[in-house]
Amino acid sequence: MGISTITETGTVTLAAAQSAVAALSSSTSSTPSFTGTNDQVQGVDEPDIVKTDGANLFVVSTGSSNSSVNILQAYPPTSQAVLSTLTLSGQVQGIEITQGRLMVIDQEYANSTMYIGLFLYNTTNLSSPKLMQNVTVAGNYVAARMAQGYLYAIIQQPSYSFNNQGNATGVLPYIMVNGRETAVPPSSVFYTGNSSQISDYTMVVSVSMASGTEATQSVLTGPSSTVFVSNSNIYVVYSNYRMFGDADDIPGDVFTGGVLSSSVQQDENSTVFRAAYSNGAVVVQAVGSVPGSVLNQYSMNEYDSYFQIATSRLTTIDGNGTESDDVYVLNQNMSQVSALRDIAPGENLYAVRFTGDMGYVVTFEQVDPLFAISFADITHPVILSALQVNGYSDYLQPLFNNSFLLGVGKNTVASSTGDFAYYLGLKLSLFHVLPNGSSSDVQDYLIGDRGTDSPVLTDPYAFTYDPANNITVIPVLLAQVPAGQQSSGTSQGEPAYGNPVWQGAYVFQVNSTGLTLLGRVSQYPAGQNYGDSNNPNLQIDRSVIIGNYLYTISNGEVLVSNLPSLTTVATIPLPGN
């Protein structure tokens, strides 16, 4: 299938609009379908700043010194109302909802200490939520997930304290439940094998969404950064660095003594501990390590009881130190089963996505190879294809039973003076991927000039996809270069940066032949350029689809638009903005 490239000036055809209307009308019912958070694993929900139950919206608004959670009656949109507002003294990191319950994850700095509050509210009466449990942990928030009716929060707490003379003393981890401090017993503290780089208690705190019952397990680790949660296991990654001590002994790794060149050494390994969970109970079961660093949570996956992880590391190619990318497979004991190393020597890792027995890896230097990797034989993963396209993808969204991928990234132009490329505008790429591993670039949709941006590039929660109607919504900050100023004027021919002229959401119909722009929605007044506005609270960074309505959310308001026409139905200012 040939490549189709469309710029952001594309229009909606009559046939596309009629098709959208037909699809949307089929979803109309007394209990409409609705989109949720863009979760990585089905059945494992991830906290975010916007949640919906199909009838109400729960929206986080952030101020300079505090934040709030606004509960809005959302559907039908003719009865919009702010039912209640909860004001938090810190900054809300995310929320979760279940029937009659709201969990707020709050982070507050007080008395030279960071505190993470897990506040569980009874929302049987949405107009008057009642706090029913307060679990507070001194430390730093890493991540959280909700599964099986429990919130599992990963929080780090220092494992030692200093006195006035600067001497360190080991301390036990502790939590506070409804204001009462409780030490975590030593029997609930686990140790990883790398004792030389221990600095923190990584605590997994489970809280029942129904009753508020709390339980805590803790692991002595280094600073944790990335978390992957399957339907039965929690995997937490922390880094080991050569400068701080000996590394774990990893098969085939050069970290423990290998010198790649006179000036390049392997600086980092990633240690992963696995904790099994079930109905609030958490048991730490295994730990293992792999060379290199992990990009993000999408670099990890659990498939058929095996753990897959993609990393970037330093390596030696033809006697020269360079960067390379690997994929490792570990068993439930966190021992290495197989590895696919040196996937793209000299290139950076930009995106990873695992689906079924396939994995997709995006690397980039001047062009974007989309590598398709088969894990059908888990002991011998193999690269089936490497599709070369211009630009790169930062995020990959599986579509249509994993037979397509939608990539969100940047268009690029190769430099004429070195092995690198200049970033240009936003690029949406629809890839068709076949079971045999072959792939094709169905369509590239280009938006804006250099400087055009989207929160989806770093925050997949900003990506909305409605599988019932094949509609996707992507927030965009549009930048445009004035006519005649496409070059920055440098001798290297570097492309010019555009000026920010518009911010809002692009709404697309997606099918196997490509993307059709249904229209754009902005919360800024018509005729007012984004770059000229002094209101910073109207940048759309989330969206929800309920039935035939699109709800776009900024820090200042919720805008409701009809689908597919995108005509405005209602505007709801959020309190405090």
Side-chain angles (χ1 to χ4, degrees):
M1 187 175 295
I3 299 175
S4 172
T5 300
I6 299 178
T7 65
E8 65 93 14
T9 56
T11 58
V12 185
T13 65
L14 177 61
Q18 289 173 336
S19 173
V21 170
L24 287 165
S25 63
S26 66
S27 68
T28 302
S29 66
S30 57
T31 54
S33 63
F34 59 91
T35 59
T37 300
N38 185 24
D39 297 323
Q40 182 180 7
V41 176
Q42 186 175 3
V44 180
D45 198 48
E46 303 183 28
D48 194 19
I49 57 175
V50 174
K51 294 287 180 178
T52 185
D53 57 9
N56 305 285
L57 278 175
F58 300 76
V59 179
V60 175
S61 291
T62 302
S64 58
S65 60
N66 59 14
S67 52
S68 61
V69 180
N70 301 290
I71 303 176
L72 290 73
Q73 184 176 342
Y75 190 90
T78 54
S79 58
Q80 289 286 339
V82 177
L83 301 175
S84 58
T85 297
L86 298 170
T87 300
L88 286 301
S89 56
Q91 300 294 311
V92 174
Q93 304 300 298
I95 57 176
E96 286 286 6
I97 61 170
T98 58
Q99 183 65 39
R101 296 291 186 271
L102 165 67
M103 175 67 76
V104 180
I105 304 171
D106 185 59
Q107 179 174 284
E108 181 178 8
Y109 189 75
N111 300 320
S112 302
T113 302
M114 187 69 74
Y115 293 94
I116 306 301
L118 308 177
F119 303 132
L120 181 64
Y121 291 88
N122 184 326
T123 54
T124 303
N125 181 356
L126 291 171
S127 298
S128 182
K130 303 296 184 184
L131 181 65
M132 57 181 290
Q133 183 72 296
N134 172 2
V135 178
T136 302
V137 182
N140 296 309
Y141 176 68
V142 179
R145 299 290 188 272
M146 187 178 71
Q148 303 168 354
Y150 288 80
L151 181 85
Y152 297 89
I154 295 90
I155 302 168
Q156 289 209 299
Q157 191 176 90
S159 60
Y160 50 84
S161 62
F162 292 94
N163 60 19
N164 294 334
Q165 287 74 44
N167 298 317
T169 301
V171 296
L172 283 174
Y174 69 95
I175 65 170
M176 290 173 282
V177 179
N178 297 324
R180 177 176 297 179
E181 183 175 314
T182 302
V184 177
S187 59
S188 294
V189 178
F190 295 81
Y191 301 84
T192 60
N194 181 18
S195 59
S196 64
Q197 298 186 29
I198 296 303
S199 59
D200 296 87
Y201 293 110
T202 296
M203 306 167 71
V204 182
V205 183
S206 68
V207 180
S208 168
M209 294 290 289
S211 66
T213 303
E214 170 275 330
T216 301
Q217 297 286 349
S218 184
V219 184
L220 274 166
T221 71
S224 301
S225 58
T226 314
V227 172
F228 172 79
V229 180
S230 70
N231 293 112
S232 56
N233 289 298
I234 299 170
Y235 299 88
V236 181
V237 180
Y238 73 95
S239 296
N240 311 317
Y241 297 95
R242 176 190 297 274
M243 67 181 71
F244 297 134
D246 294 334
D248 297 331
D249 184 12
I250 302 171
D253 186 24
V254 295
F255 185 103
T256 53
V259 177
L260 299 176
S261 70
S262 59
S263 60
V264 180
Q265 291 182 322
Q266 172 69 16
D267 286 331
E268 182 178 355
N269 288 334
S270 293
T271 295
V272 187
F273 75 77
R274 178 180 69 84
Y277 73 91
S278 177
N279 296 320
V282 178
V283 180
V284 180
Q285 295 190 328
V287 63
S289 296
V290 293
S293 61
V294 177
L295 178 65
N296 55 35
Q297 67 185 60
Y298 294 94
S299 299
M300 299 180 284
N301 186 55
E302 187 181 271
Y303 169 67
D304 197 22
S305 298
Y306 290 93
F307 179 64
Q308 301 157 304
I309 181 169
T311 66
S312 294
R313 64 177 172 86
L314 297 177
T315 187
T316 301
I317 304 294
D318 296 330
N320 297 313
T322 186
E323 186 173 18
S324 191
D325 307 306
D326 309 332
V327 177
Y328 299 90
V329 177
L330 310 180
N331 59 21
Q332 290 292 282
N333 292 326
M334 303 308 288
S335 299
Q336 186 174 307
V337 172
S338 58
L340 191 60
R341 295 165 68 89
D342 299 330
I343 293 174
E347 298 198 357
N348 295 318
L349 188 65
Y350 273 71
V352 183
R353 197 69 191 240
F354 295 96
T355 62
D357 64 359
M358 294 292 295
Y360 301 94
V361 173
V362 172
T363 63
F364 180 77
E365 185 179 34
Q366 284 193 318
V367 295
D368 166 10
L370 174 67
F371 292 94
I373 303 171
S374 172
F375 294 90
D377 182 352
I378 201 69
T379 61
H380 294 92
V382 294
I383 296 175
L384 299 181
S385 65
L387 179 67
Q388 301 278 342
V389 295
N390 289 328
Y392 63 88
S393 297
D394 278 304
Y395 174 71
L396 296 171
Q397 173 71 30
L399 300 174
F400 312 134
N401 295 320
N402 300 330
S403 59
F404 287 80
L405 293 172
L406 179 59
V408 183
K410 288 289 187 75
N411 193 27
T412 62
V413 59
S415 169
S416 60
T417 61
D419 293 333
F420 65 94
Y422 295 110
Y423 300 166
L424 298 177
L426 199 67
K427 186 183 80 161
L428 311 181
S429 299
L430 184 66
F431 301 108
H432 187 198
V433 293
L434 298 175
N436 64 5
S438 63
S439 57
S440 61
D441 189 2
V442 177
Q443 181 192 20
D444 292 334
Y445 195 104
L446 308 180
I447 301 176
D449 295 322
R450 192 178 190 193
T452 298
D453 204 357
S454 172
V456 174
L457 301 178
T458 55
D459 183 2
Y461 298 147
F463 182 94
T464 297
Y465 176 63
D466 178 10
N469 301 301
N470 294 331
I471 287 179
T472 190
V473 185
I474 297 175
V476 173
L477 171 61
L478 180 65
Q480 291 181 337
V481 175
Q485 300 180 22
Q486 294 300 319
S487 174
S488 65
T490 63
S491 58
Q492 292 82 14
E494 179 181 348
Y497 280 97
N499 300 319
V501 297
W502 184 90
Q503 200 284 332
Y506 277 60
V507 185
F508 294 95
Q509 188 92 49
V510 187
N511 57 39
S512 60
T513 61
L515 297 92
T516 300
L517 180 66
L518 295 179
R520 308 188 309 177
V521 174
S522 178
Q523 293 187 359
Y524 289 95
Q528 183 183 68
N529 286 339
Y530 163 79
D532 298 331
S533 174
N534 58 6
N535 188 342
N537 287 321
L538 298 180
Q539 293 191 54
I540 295 171
D541 58 8
R542 292 293 187 273
S543 61
V544 171
I545 295 175
I546 305 177
N548 294 353
Y549 299 96
L550 169 66
Y551 299 73
T552 48
I553 299 104
S554 69
N555 199 46
E557 69 180 36
V558 175
L559 176 66
V560 188
S561 306
N562 207 318
L563 283 170
S565 67
L566 299 180
T567 54
T568 298
V569 175
T571 301
I572 309 96
L574 296 176
N577 293 279

